[in-house]
Amino acid sequence: MAKLWGGRFTKNTDVVVEEFTSSIAFDQRMYREDIAGSIAHATMLAKCGIIADNEAQAIITGLQKILADIEAGNFTFEVSLEDIHMNIEKRLTEQIGPVGGKLHTARSRNDQVALDTHLYIKREIKDIAGRLMALQQAVLELAEQNRTTIMPGYTHLQRAQPITFAHHMMAYFYMLSRDFRRLDGVWQGADIMPLGAAALAGTTFPIDRQFVAQQLNFGRVYENSIDAVSDRDYILEFLSFASILMMHLSRLSEEIILWSSTEFNFVELDDAHSTGSSIMPQKKNPDVAELVRGKTGRVIGHLMAMLTVAKGLPLAYNKDLQEDKEGLFDTIDTVKFSLTVYASMLKSMKVNGQRMLEVVSNDFSNATDMADYLVKKGLPFRQAHEVVGKSVRYSIDQDKVLAELTLAELQQFSPLFAADILEAISIDSCVKNRNSYGGTSYSAQEQSFVTARAILAQQSEKIIKY
Ligand code: ARG
């Protein structure tokens, strides 16, 4: 097919080159943004007297027809027309005649593709923000249902101190809240309108960039035309947000995979969210959590790829920048899918509180509480640590836990032990007494739920403005 830029060429493009340089296979998903951007541009050209009103009208009607055709499946994308921009422009001219060729006045594909990608990412951010909130909601509900479910808290994957399952889940809630805050930052970074930069230097026509920005709901315009066509920070910011979010989901996945093993038996995933083995009839595998953990690698890969593509590029546009889209689109799809499948997996997950309590009652998770008890009786913490360490050693040798030692046995290590020690190291006390702000106690937890609800309300306010 004849090229829109064919004037200075005497030979046809090699078919392999055509296929290699083409982006239509993936950039066709920005057709709505491309058409919306072109309609805004044509409207502006007429308003500024650069083209006639009836010309703009013909262009806009033609573009609307193309939009309807694409949505109805009546549009064949041509590889020989390289990208979404030229596929649409070519069809426009076929439909309305040479006046279609006026659309590209004061514009280049360099600012056009930047505009499309900005619009696309803004639309997807709104969608992702909703899904992220639905996951936060699911996490919060799971926590609220497990206010008094006690589990072992870990450091080094060794049992450390008793916590509530709610407190553990709320750690993820707050991680996801920071993800939301980062996503909001990405939206701000994408809310800048590049059109009017043209190829790189601006244009000789009396255009109105603010008018285009208003029509397309952008808060700002790029201050520098070279920056406008060279900037991919907003894509990098999105990929960074996505990588950190996926890393969080991957950590939770790792825990869910461990917890659902027979060895832990802390949770049970619903049959609808697990898969079987083709050979071992007894298996029920946590594939969703494993795949989310696996896909995290791919999203981080897209971030690394884009940083690497951008790092050596001279200003302004270089074809290398076409490499920004596949990783971005794949990341958007992966994040959306992961968020949604995760929320439903958590909603149907059963928490085995009985088992976790049993585990934490038969270990030394209350050792810190025993040391704190001695400190409250006047012993310096370092000495208390030593006394309890010896008590633990003694208990292990006797095949007992601390609560099973008699008062006489304990008093070998310190005369400060009295009858109230049993109450002080009961699992319930261990949780209840960690009442510092942000701690695992039941009352601190209630405060954390209130804060979480306030965060969700603020986030909803933000989404409305997107
Ligand atoms: N398909 C191109 C891209 O994705 C559009 C911009 C092309 N501009 C150019 N001068 N070749 O980046």
Side-chain angles (χ1 to χ4, degrees):
M1 198 167 288
K3 302 279 187 258
L4 291 175
W5 40 254
R8 62 99 70 219
F9 288 79
T10 52
K11 268 191 183 174
N12 287 335
T13 318
D14 184 290
V15 285
V16 179
V17 171
E18 213 163 61
E19 204 178 328
F20 185 64
T21 54
S22 162
S23 54
I24 189 61
F26 47 88
D27 66 14
Q28 58 178 269
R29 64 154 101 185
M30 303 196 299
Y31 72 88
R32 285 189 217 95
E33 288 71 25
D34 198 72
I35 290 173
S38 288
I39 290 176
H41 183 64
T43 308
M44 181 278 290
L45 290 176
K47 184 197 96 84
C48 298
I50 300 165
I51 63 173
D53 284 342
N54 63 333
E55 292 171 332
Q57 208 32 257
I59 289 171
I60 291 166
T61 311
L63 288 167
Q64 283 162 343
K65 166 94 173 49
I66 292 172
L67 178 63
D69 284 347
I70 295 175
E71 307 223 287
N74 295 328
F75 195 104
T76 319
F77 294 106
E78 299 285 347
V79 169
S80 62
L81 289 172
E82 202 176 319
D83 54 28
I84 186 65
H85 326 297
M86 293 198 291
N87 268 269
I88 289 175
E89 194 189 320
K90 179 87 175 183
R91 174 78 159 248
L92 180 68
T93 308
E94 279 164 12
Q95 271 183 13
I96 68 171
V99 67
K102 295 205 172 190
L103 173 62
H104 214 52
T105 312
R107 186 176 77 170
S108 153
R109 277 185 297 149
N110 299 348
D111 56 347
Q112 190 179 357
V113 72
L115 176 70
D116 292 3
T117 318
H118 277 81
L119 287 169
Y120 188 81
I121 218 169
K122 281 178 70 183
R123 177 159 68 86
E124 291 293 350
I125 286 173
K126 184 169 182 143
D127 182 323
I128 291 169
R131 290 175 200 245
L132 178 53
M133 274 192 71
L135 178 60
Q136 287 175 285
Q137 200 85 44
V139 169
L140 177 58
E141 275 159 25
L142 186 60
E144 286 176 336
Q145 287 155 13
N146 286 282
R147 289 175 145 88
T148 56
T149 309
I150 290 173
M151 70 179 290
Y154 293 84
T155 64
H156 311 266
L157 203 56
Q158 305 287 320
R159 293 196 209 142
Q161 291 172 346
I163 55 173
T164 62
F165 188 79
H167 196 52
H168 196 97
M169 290 318 292
M170 289 308 285
Y172 284 100
F173 178 91
Y174 286 102
M175 283 179 231
L176 295 172
S177 306
R178 291 194 295 277
D179 289 319
F180 191 97
R181 198 199 64 212
R182 273 184 284 274
L183 183 63
D184 183 53
V186 183
W187 192 89
Q188 306 295 340
D191 189 30
I192 320 178
M193 209 290 296
L195 207 70
L200 79 161
T203 172
T204 55
F205 293 96
I207 58 169
D208 185 344
R209 299 185 62 213
Q210 302 292 346
F211 178 74
V212 174
Q214 273 161 22
Q215 285 186 91
L216 296 170
N217 290 320
F218 278 99
R220 289 167 293 152
V221 301
Y222 275 90
E223 296 299 326
N224 179 294
S225 62
I226 300 175
D227 185 36
V229 288
S230 310
D231 178 28
R232 295 295 181 274
D233 290 0
Y234 63 104
I235 293 179
L236 286 164
E237 284 170 10
F238 180 81
L239 297 174
S240 308
F241 146 79
S243 298
I244 297 173
L245 166 68
M246 290 299 290
M247 177 273 288
H248 289 153
L249 296 186
S250 187
R251 291 180 82 166
L252 180 53
S253 295
E254 175 64 17
E255 300 203 297
I256 289 174
I257 293 161
L258 283 172
W259 293 345
S260 59
S261 67
T262 312
E263 284 72 10
F264 275 80
N265 189 21
F266 286 1
V267 299
E268 189 186 345
L269 294 173
D270 195 69
D271 279 3
H273 285 91
S274 313
T275 50
S277 156
S278 57
I279 174 170
M280 297 166 283
Q282 84 284 11
K283 291 294 289 290
K284 181 170 158 184
N285 298 329
D287 281 19
V288 170
E290 289 174 308
L291 256 185
V292 168
R293 187 177 61 185
K295 284 174 188 295
T296 301
R298 144 177 179 174
V299 169
I300 293 170
H302 291 319
L303 171 63
M304 292 308 128
M306 191 59 217
L307 283 168
T308 312
V309 164
K311 72 176 264 299
L313 294 184
L315 302 180
Y317 181 83
N318 301 270
K319 187 74 167 181
D320 315 45
L321 289 173
Q322 181 168 289
E323 285 292 306
D324 63 357
K325 284 172 216 63
E326 285 160 289
L328 171 65
F329 296 158
D330 185 64
T331 300
I332 289 171
D333 294 345
T334 304
V335 163
K336 280 162 75 172
F337 220 156
S338 301
L339 286 170
T340 299
V341 78
Y342 228 90
S344 63
M345 180 178 76
L346 289 185
K347 275 187 194 150
S348 60
M349 186 175 83
K350 281 200 192 65
V351 179
N352 192 348
Q354 196 61 42
R355 159 77 182 159
M356 291 191 285
L357 183 61
E358 208 175 279
V359 158
V360 86
S361 307
N362 286 303
D363 67 12
F364 294 94
S365 289
N366 53 0
T368 316
D369 300 80
M370 185 176 260
D372 286 355
Y373 167 91
L374 294 172
V375 170
K376 283 166 195 161
K377 303 235 162 173
L379 202 62
F381 182 77
R382 270 299 143 230
Q383 285 174 40
H385 188 289
E386 176 76 15
V387 166
V388 178
K390 291 209 164 93
S391 310
V392 167
R393 183 66 257 165
Y394 175 82
S395 304
I396 292 170
D397 293 342
Q398 304 293 308
D399 200 16
K400 288 178 176 172
V401 292
L402 292 170
E404 289 166 341
L405 299 184
T406 63
L407 196 50
E409 283 175 302
L410 282 172
Q411 283 169 343
Q412 307 168 69
F413 303 104
S414 167
L416 293 172
F417 284 116
D420 55 355
I421 180 62
L422 266 189
E423 161 65 15
I425 62 169
S426 77
I427 299 304
D428 193 53
S429 301
C430 294
V431 173
K432 199 171 58 200
N433 295 337
R434 285 212 161 63
N435 203 19
S436 50
Y437 189 87
T440 196
S441 78
Y442 307 113
S443 56
Q445 186 170 282
E446 289 308 313
Q447 179 54 50
S448 156
F449 292 153
V450 172
T451 308
R453 296 248 167 240
I455 289 173
L456 287 175
Q458 284 165 11
Q459 291 180 184
S460 300
E461 294 287 303
K462 289 224 153 93
I463 294 185
I464 292 167
K465 294 195 190 111
Y466 291 164

